[in-house]
Amino acid sequence: MTIIQKLTALFLLATLPFGLSAQRWFTRDAKVYFDATSASSPERIEATTKSGTLVVEQTTGRLETSILIKGFQFDKALMQEHFNENYLESGKFPKATFKGKIDDLSKVKFDQDGNYTATVSGDLTLHGVTKAVSTPATFTVKSGKITVAANFKTVLADYGVSVPSLVADKLAREAKITIGGTLEKMK
């Protein structure tokens, strides 16, 4: 883990508005997959990072995540450069965050093995713009750990991401986002 990832995780933990007695679940290894491939694109426009921070507060259902934009890895270096410099401007907007909650918290039994589906909603901040997001998420509880997975789509233009007309047919208007990770109880 890089020093930036450690500092981001520390900052997130220090600023979370959870009570001291709250039961929290945490990972610094959440995997986020980004796919903006259009139907007419000759190649895949996709990237993955495996260094997202994800925290869930069991009692209230609060959920927060933070992802460093520069952490996304593309198969092609030029795509990664364009993603960081031209589209998401990671120097100016270094991270994406989600702050929200599990809407139907009673559906998730944190202390009982099983698979649970619940809606997660909150604010996604990307490229300096914050928008409300709501999506189903799967919570799998097994042997004292929780695996969380969610998929959603987001319109890039809604977050101020502009695409030059020269490549507009290669880049999807909506990006598919998948996030997942295995959380352990914070001590």
Side-chain angles (χ1 to χ4, degrees), residues 11-68:
F11 175 76
L12 180 63
L13 291 175
T15 59
L16 288 175
F18 301 136
L20 292 175
S21 63
Q23 181 63 55
R24 288 182 230 139
W25 298 82
F26 172 79
T27 185
R28 284 186 215 114
D29 304 319
K31 182 177 178 181
V32 182
Y33 171 74
F34 170 90
D35 182 358
T37 307
S38 74
S40 62
S41 178
E43 55 194 342
R44 303 288 308 168
I45 302 170
E46 59 188 355
T48 303
T49 182
K50 297 177 183 174
S51 59
T53 301
L54 177 60
V55 179
V56 176
E57 202 284 314
Q58 179 175 327
T59 308
T60 64
R62 289 187 55 118
L63 186 144
E64 294 193 23
T65 187
S66 180
I67 296 119
L68 291 174

Side-chain angles (χ1 to χ4, degrees), residues 8 25 30 41 50 60 67 87 96 114 120 124 136 141-142 160 171 174:
T8 300
W25 298 82
S41 178
K50 297 177 183 174
T60 64
I67 296 119
Y87 301 113
V120 173
L124 174 65
V141 179
K142 186 174 181 183
L171 196 63
E174 267 187 337

Side-chain angles (χ1 to χ4, degrees), residues 57-179:
E57 202 284 314
Q58 179 175 327
T59 308
T60 64
R62 289 187 55 118
L63 186 144
E64 294 193 23
T65 187
S66 180
I67 296 119
L68 291 174
I69 299 301
K70 283 189 177 183
F72 280 99
Q73 299 296 308
F74 287 79
D75 285 339
K76 296 186 176 182
L78 187 58
M79 276 189 196
Q80 189 162 330
E81 182 181 327
H82 288 172
F83 176 81
N84 281 298
E85 292 179 10
N86 302 336
Y87 301 113
L88 291 189
E89 301 176 275
S90 60
K92 189 175 180 182
F93 308 106
K95 64 182 179 177
T97 61
F98 176 83
K99 295 180 181 183
K101 64 184 176 68
I102 303 169
D103 293 332
D104 33 7
L105 183 60
S106 64
K107 291 184 176 182
V108 182
K109 310 292 183 215
F110 288 95
D111 297 323
Q112 182 179 334
D113 284 4
N115 294 317
Y116 310 99
T117 301
T119 301
V120 173
S121 64
D123 293 326
L124 174 65
T125 301
L126 176 68
H127 198 244
V129 177
T130 302
K131 297 280 184 184
V133 171
S134 182
T135 188
T138 302
F139 297 82
T140 301
V141 179
K142 186 174 181 183
S143 303
K145 294 184 180 181
I146 298 174
T147 301
V148 180
N151 302 298
F152 61 97
K153 293 180 181 179
T154 189
V155 177
L156 296 172
D158 288 352
Y159 292 90
V161 178
S162 59
V163 179
S165 58
L166 182 65
V167 294
D169 62 328
K170 295 179 178 104
L171 196 63
R173 195 173 97 66
E174 267 187 337
K176 297 174 200 162
I177 311 290
T178 302
I179 185 168

Side-chain angles (χ1 to χ4, degrees), residues 1-13:
M1 179 180 308
T2 68
I3 189 71
I4 292 174
Q5 291 168 326
K6 288 178 184 177
L7 290 173
T8 300
L10 184 61
F11 175 76
L12 180 63
L13 291 175

